[in-house]
Amino acid sequence: MPAQKILTFPHPLLKKRAHRIDKIDLSIRGLLEDLIDTMKAGPGSVGVAAPQIGVSLSACVVDVSGSRHGKDNNHGLLVMLNPEITASSGSAVMREGCMSVPD
């Protein structure tokens, strides 16, 4: 699948809560391929979420194995459907980049 166009802030879709995915079918598999291709095409990208390519579904892909900070300690490609943060601890200050919020 080809890389998709990234929506940028303040696009209204980026401000909405994404819908849960209830069933993995061919359209979801195609969406995941689009997300992976879009992430790989982005300069320095380590992840992208479905709303960033105009799809209001709770899906994202992450792969830090190509970044200088993650190349030695990573899990490879992570594909997440309906991800939720259930716990957290500690804090860290670091640079964050987002293709939907350029510069």
Side-chain angles (χ1 to χ4, degrees):
M1 298 280 177
Q4 302 296 304
K5 180 181 181 228
I6 296 289
L7 301 181
T8 56
F9 181 81
H11 193 284
L13 186 66
L14 297 172
K15 299 177 184 182
K16 291 185 174 184
R17 184 179 196 122
H19 300 282
R20 288 185 57 79
I21 296 170
D22 295 323
K23 182 175 94 172
I24 300 173
D25 57 17
L26 288 177
S27 67
I28 297 300
R29 290 182 188 276
L31 169 63
L32 296 174
E33 288 180 31
D34 285 349
L35 288 172
I36 292 167
D37 291 343
T38 302
M39 175 185 62
K40 288 180 178 179
S45 176
V46 296
V48 67
Q52 291 180 273
I53 63 168
V55 180
S56 187
L57 290 174
S58 185
C60 64
V61 297
V62 177
D63 187 353
V64 299
S65 61
S67 77
R68 65 185 163 105
H69 295 294
K71 75 177 180 185
D72 294 329
N73 184 20
N74 69 79
H75 295 90
L77 175 65
L78 296 175
V79 175
M80 294 178 268
L81 303 177
N82 306 321
E84 293 182 30
I85 298 171
T86 58
S88 67
S89 65
S91 65
V93 177
M94 60 190 330
R95 181 185 173 281
E96 168 61 17
C98 179
M99 292 188 290
S100 291
V101 185
D103 301 323

